Amino acid sequence: MSELVVVGVDGSPSGFDAVAWAADDAFRAKGALRIVSVVETWPYQVPQIAAVEWESSMTERAREILAQAEEIVRERRPTVDVSTRVIAGKASVALREQASEAAELVVGRRGTGGFAGAVLGSVSMSVAGQAPGPVVVVRDGGAAAYGEVAVGVDGSPAAEPALAYAFRQAELRGSMLRAVHAWPPPFALAPDFSCDIEALRESHLRITREQLTPWQERHPEVKVVTDVQCGHPVKTLAGAGERADLLIIGSHGRSGLGSAVLGSVMRGVLHHAHCTVAVVRERH
């Protein structure tokens, strides 16, 4: 897989934060950086001349935004190979297509459109939920460095791409990796059910360690902390993000109930985490 990092930018402060994050990650990976600005098609049903004027105006604006973004990269990481590209189309679709060519896609939490009070932009959510490979949704503004990467582990094969990305990130950063496994308390699902909570915890701990062992053998230099907790996955993962530079979660990409449940966790983490979040889908 290429070490190309693609970042989407739309002129918003959140987008420029994403550019800075992407520049740092491309530098760590010794990869190239492509900055993309998407020009949406004319949104109003009026005479065609307006559409032509709209596209021309928006394309010129996109080039100005790309020039600003490129300047950020050259000042921050002058050795990174950076290129820019203007693409016409629907932003979420265009960015998903770009993701198929890249090692990772980086976007800001909020764009220039939508509601001012929204925590997460619709484009960011759409891309994170559907694009192949890692999609990084960058926290707004600067953040303290904790020297820790956190990853959600659930024991399923679908978590493997997230673990691969997490160990790679921890290795490149020289950071500790916190593997977080959250399991809901049984009495929350069935109040009359009684069981040995400690035995359940040991079972979940064993599952987590078994999944981590092959990755630890491949990356012996990465220090791993196993964090198994009884609690709601969204709350537990968001809590881990409070002391992490990057929080990584997987996406099963299944149909039916499994996809709906996991999708709710992904949305919850993206909305509630106070750090940069990477959602990793398996590449088909």
Side-chain angles (χ1 to χ4, degrees):
M1 183 175 60
S2 133
E3 287 297 334
L4 172 67
V5 176
V6 173
V7 58
V9 63
D10 61 359
S12 66
S14 186
F16 289 128
D17 288 339
V19 169
W21 194 97
D24 290 344
D25 218 46
F27 175 79
R28 281 188 291 265
K30 296 181 172 59
L33 177 64
R34 178 189 297 164
I35 312 172
V36 173
S37 184
V38 181
V39 174
E40 297 266 6
T41 53
W42 176 240
Y44 306 106
Q45 298 299 317
V46 293
Q48 185 65 26
I49 185 64
V52 174
E53 293 172 349
W54 167 273
E55 183 174 349
S56 176
S57 175
M58 294 304 291
T59 298
E60 182 61 30
R61 173 60 179 153
R63 289 177 179 144
E64 293 173 359
I65 292 168
L66 289 172
Q68 288 180 260
E70 185 175 359
E71 185 63 24
I72 289 172
V73 177
R74 298 205 182 280
E75 290 182 0
R76 189 179 185 94
R77 298 294 184 184
T79 61
V80 168
D81 179 13
V82 57
S83 61
T84 62
R85 184 175 295 184
V86 177
I87 301 176
K90 185 175 175 59
S92 57
V93 175
L95 290 173
R96 289 200 300 269
E97 291 173 350
Q98 289 292 305
S100 65
E101 303 177 19
E104 68 184 6
L105 172 68
V106 183
V107 294
R109 281 172 66 89
R110 290 174 289 189
T112 54
F115 298 100
V119 175
L120 189 72
S122 59
V123 171
S124 302
M125 178 62 79
S126 174
V127 172
Q130 299 180 48
V135 176
V136 182
V137 182
V138 176
R139 168 184 171 164
D140 298 340
Y146 295 97
E148 181 171 313
V149 172
V151 60
V153 182
D154 65 1
S156 73
E160 296 295 312
L163 284 168
Y165 183 76
F167 272 88
R168 171 70 166 157
Q169 282 287 329
E171 184 178 76
L172 289 173
R173 295 163 177 265
S175 297
M176 183 184 80
L177 178 63
R178 180 176 297 275
V180 182
H181 178 95
W183 52 285
F187 49 82
L189 304 175
D192 297 329
F193 180 75
S194 63
C195 65
D196 186 338
I197 295 295
E198 188 56 32
L200 273 177
R201 183 185 180 281
E202 287 298 324
S203 174
H204 284 283
L205 182 59
R206 183 179 67 256
I207 290 169
T208 303
R209 285 175 173 168
E210 287 174 355
Q211 186 162 39
L212 289 172
T213 295
W215 293 102
Q216 289 177 283
E217 291 173 351
R218 293 174 210 169
H219 301 269
E221 68 285 356
V222 176
K223 179 183 177 181
V224 180
V225 172
T226 305
D227 188 350
V228 175
Q229 299 185 38
C230 178
H232 193 282
V234 171
K235 183 177 180 180
T236 303
L237 289 166
E242 292 180 2
R243 56 182 176 271
D245 301 317
L246 176 65
L247 172 61
I248 301 160
I249 56 176
S251 176
H252 290 101
R254 295 192 299 242
S255 59
L257 182 60
S259 177
V261 172
L262 185 72
S264 67
V265 171
M266 182 196 75
R267 287 192 297 272
V269 170
L270 285 171
H271 278 291
H272 294 290
H274 294 292
C275 67
T276 295
V277 177
V279 178
V280 184
R281 287 175 59 87
E282 184 178 6
R283 295 181 185 271
H284 298 289

